[in-house]
Amino acid sequence: MNRMRQALVEAAVAPARLTGASGAQSFCFAENFLGFAGHFPGYPILPGVLQTLLAQLLAEQIVGETLQFQELTRAKFTRQLRPGELIEVVVNCQEREGQWRCVTRLMVAAELAASFTLLLGKEAAV
């Protein structure tokens, strides 16, 4: 597992709650979290690419295998995610023709922080 994936996994505050093709998991990132480096000095926010990776990691737990990122659609990042905030990631996946369509919401308290749909595929054999 690469360093960033491991850092995201370590930021989980509890195991994922999985129900069928859906799941939810809470994360909290310390000020010294690797993903804040350079984004932005003096005012750290969680980059959108890491928000999508959180959803992918949860989708992989739902599906039970490593998935390959293919496409991001319907992306709306409506709130900055800051150190110390409890972030709830909710993913609902549907499989069609070997691809997974994963509708995602990131919430802080009752406030929507981001929503997007990920298209993920099975990882190619190496």
Side-chain angles (χ1 to χ4, degrees), residues 35 38 77 112 118 125:
F77 298 92
L112 182 66
L118 288 177

Side-chain angles (χ1 to χ4, degrees), residues 4 24 40-41 43 52 59 64 68 80 85 87 108 121:
M4 185 57 72
F40 294 96
Y43 191 81
T52 62
Q68 185 71 37
Q80 295 175 350
E85 293 184 313
I87 303 163
V108 175

Side-chain angles (χ1 to χ4, degrees), residues 45-59:
I45 60 172
L46 190 66
V49 68
L50 295 184
Q51 294 177 45
T52 62
L53 185 53
L54 283 174
Q56 181 176 342
L57 291 171
L58 184 53

Side-chain angles (χ1 to χ4, degrees), residues 15-102:
R17 300 171 308 283
L18 307 176
T19 308
S22 298
Q25 191 165 22
S26 298
F27 297 86
C28 186
F29 298 95
E31 185 116 12
N32 65 349
F33 170 64
L34 173 66
F36 292 136
H39 202 264
F40 294 96
Y43 191 81
I45 60 172
L46 190 66
V49 68
L50 295 184
Q51 294 177 45
T52 62
L53 185 53
L54 283 174
Q56 181 176 342
L57 291 171
L58 184 53
E60 290 174 349
Q61 291 182 69
I62 293 166
V63 173
E65 63 184 291
T66 302
L67 298 170
Q68 185 71 37
F69 175 87
Q70 294 180 337
E71 187 176 342
L72 173 70
T73 61
R74 300 180 182 212
K76 293 182 183 176
F77 298 92
T78 56
R79 182 188 187 285
Q80 295 175 350
L81 299 175
R82 306 267 297 136
E85 293 184 313
L86 186 62
I87 303 163
E88 179 80 359
V89 180
V90 179
V91 176
N92 297 297
C93 296
Q94 291 183 318
E95 192 266 339
R96 186 184 313 159
E97 299 176 14
Q99 293 181 317
W100 290 92
R101 182 179 176 272
C102 301

